Amino acid sequence: MKKCFYVAFAIAALLLTGCRTPKTPEQYREAVRSYPMGTTVETLNVDRSLSEVTKDFRERAPKCLNVDVTSTFWNGSFYQTELVQYHATVVENPEKTELYVQNKQNYIMVIDAVPVEKDKTEVTLYRSSFGYDLIASAVRGWATGENLGCPAFTQ
């Protein structure tokens, strides 16, 4: 029964996405906005300049998010080990900073930071509602400057 649910869920997901995986950050943003079931657009207004937010993204993202994570879990029949490779990219210009987090070539999170005022920045996270909470929490901490630690990728 459980297996049937997963097969049905996978088929529904393919139908909803039109069998396309977002290949660019803009396609990922659009997919998150278009399919709000299971996705989240989260906006923070932080009392920091864009250059401060950018500096912390630039310093923390490669150090904390370019990692390989191995996890072991029970799949219902036996223990399975999985290697997940994360990769982060920071793209910056004077008007906007973008942080892309990928697992293999798939985008799992896109973060935009844009200035609102001299010392205020709007940070928007486009992401799945399920999983990746550790990464989202770390990014929020970097954006606010309150917690500059790395996510603890332990199971």
Side-chain angles (χ1 to χ4, degrees), residues 5 19 22 73 80-81 98 108 151:
F5 170 77
C19 299
F73 58 92
Q80 184 171 340
T81 301
E98 300 173 63
I108 61 169

Side-chain angles (χ1 to χ4, degrees), residues 45-73:
N45 288 301
V46 299
D47 293 326
R48 301 178 75 209
S49 68
L50 177 63
S51 63
E52 291 173 308
V53 172
T54 300
K55 177 182 173 284
D56 286 337
F57 281 4
R58 189 179 341 106
E59 289 177 1
R60 297 295 170 181
K63 174 185 168 192
C64 295
L65 300 178
N66 290 346
V67 297
D68 294 347
V69 178
T70 302
S71 62
T72 303
F73 58 92

Side-chain angles (χ1 to χ4, degrees), residues 31-50:
V32 169
R33 286 189 292 257
S34 298
Y35 302 104
M37 187 170 153
T39 61
T40 299
V41 178
E42 178 183 349
T43 302
L44 311 167
N45 288 301
V46 299
D47 293 326
R48 301 178 75 209
S49 68
L50 177 63

Side-chain angles (χ1 to χ4, degrees), residues 69-70 134 151-155:
V69 178
T70 302
L134 296 173
F153 287 104
T154 57
Q155 300 296 321

